[in-house]
Amino acid sequence: MNEVTASVAQGPNGETAEYVFVTPELAAGWLQVNVEKNRNVKKSRINGYVRDIQSDNWVLTGEAIKFDIDGRLIDGQNRCHAIVAAGQGAWVLVVRGISQEALIVLDSGSARNAGDMLVITGLADKADAKDVGAIARLHVAWSAGDVKHAGSHIGGSAQLTKTELAEAVMNIPNIEFAARHARGMYRYLRLPVSALGVAFLAFSAIDIDDTAEFFNRIRDGIQNGPGDPFLTLSRRVTNDLQAGASRRILPGQALFYLFRTWNAFRTNESLVKLQIGSPQAGFTPVPEPR
């Protein structure tokens, strides 16, 4: 957005609202009057805002930078930090004169999350939105090389802005179908739906028929004794989940299990163990599905 007509709206108690083109210098000055008890900055959110600003994906959402009646910045510090870090300005809505009474209820409502965004924009049905978002994040992270080994924690590319998430969803063919398929498969194999969805998409791009057989064998419990990849996968997942009440299989670990099993299935390899390694000895790399 390059042009916004300057106008100021007045509230009943002296509050004002206007669109302002905030330069890095102006944002830096506002941060100097940041209220002392403001929340901690969120680096992942700031980094996302920076990418949006620098890629010309910054949009006016109606979310305002807010100042109280004493001129202190009380909401919007992450956006101000992002404008400074981006080194270029951005249009924002600015509200001034927020009263003490309003501060009590500020941000007490439920914010729209990424799943809400996917539903509102029509990119996913309500029943699929959460899973579509999780699959898109993991798919982007894996495609970017951020899921290197079985112990990978999904960060970096997974911290997508809502704009980036929407773009990822639009650019991943059949992601809604993958979400429904993965959610159904979760009943038979308790791995994260995000990993099951990414595996389905990756395998389908290689061989549709083998993909169908792979997941059908998991669903139907078809196992041919010791060395059968599906038996080894099932036992490993069961053992992991029984290791403790709070045990959780992370998406990177789940991708290792699924990709390693797929490759063994495709080459008729005997697979006796799925060893993920350790922090001390090093984690096992996640193989490319082939």
Side-chain angles (χ1 to χ4, degrees), residues 197-245:
V198 170
F200 175 83
L201 293 168
F203 300 164
S204 297
I206 297 170
D207 190 297
I208 290 290
D209 292 335
D210 279 355
T211 301
E213 183 179 352
F214 181 88
F215 286 106
N216 285 344
R217 288 187 62 173
I218 292 173
R219 181 197 62 197
D220 298 335
I222 300 174
Q223 301 166 356
N224 297 320
D228 181 85
F230 296 96
L231 175 61
T232 301
L233 172 64
S234 176
R235 285 180 173 175
R236 180 63 204 240
V237 172
T238 299
N239 289 340
D240 282 351
L241 296 176
Q242 290 178 346

Side-chain angles (χ1 to χ4, degrees), residues 89-148:
W91 284 99
V92 298
L93 176 63
V94 178
V95 175
R96 295 183 173 89
I98 299 294
S99 67
Q100 188 66 35
E101 291 78 13
L103 290 178
I104 297 173
V105 298
L106 186 66
D107 289 337
S108 63
S110 177
R112 287 192 176 99
N113 58 29
D116 297 327
M117 178 274 294
L118 294 177
V119 174
I120 291 168
T121 57
L123 292 175
D125 291 336
K126 186 173 183 179
D128 302 323
K130 179 181 177 182
D131 295 327
V132 166
I135 292 169
R137 289 189 188 91
L138 183 57
H139 193 278
V140 169
W142 170 61
S143 300
D146 288 343
V147 189
K148 295 181 174 64

Side-chain angles (χ1 to χ4, degrees), residues 24-172:
E25 293 75 19
L26 182 56
W30 286 354
L31 288 170
Q32 294 300 311
V33 294
N34 193 13
V35 65
E36 291 182 4
K37 293 183 180 180
N38 211 338
R39 295 169 294 184
N40 294 331
V41 297
K42 297 181 178 178
K43 291 184 178 180
S44 62
R45 182 169 296 178
I46 291 171
N47 291 338
Y49 287 157
V50 169
R51 294 196 301 272
D52 277 349
I53 292 170
Q54 294 181 336
S55 63
D56 201 27
N57 281 328
W58 182 261
V59 294
L60 288 170
T61 63
E63 186 177 2
I65 289 179
K66 305 180 186 75
F67 294 87
D68 67 8
I69 57 176
D70 296 318
R72 297 176 302 176
L73 176 67
I74 57 174
D75 190 24
Q77 61 176 339
N78 289 323
R79 278 161 285 166
C80 288
H81 279 294
I83 290 170
V84 173
Q88 61 188 79
W91 284 99
V92 298
L93 176 63
V94 178
V95 175
R96 295 183 173 89
I98 299 294
S99 67
Q100 188 66 35
E101 291 78 13
L103 290 178
I104 297 173
V105 298
L106 186 66
D107 289 337
S108 63
S110 177
R112 287 192 176 99
N113 58 29
D116 297 327
M117 178 274 294
L118 294 177
V119 174
I120 291 168
T121 57
L123 292 175
D125 291 336
K126 186 173 183 179
D128 302 323
K130 179 181 177 182
D131 295 327
V132 166
I135 292 169
R137 289 189 188 91
L138 183 57
H139 193 278
V140 169
W142 170 61
S143 300
D146 288 343
V147 189
K148 295 181 174 64
H149 52 71
S152 290
H153 289 273
I154 309 305
S157 298
Q159 301 301 317
L160 303 177
T161 67
K162 291 178 181 178
T163 301
E164 291 170 333
L165 179 62
E167 183 177 359
V169 169
M170 288 188 291
N171 289 331
I172 301 173

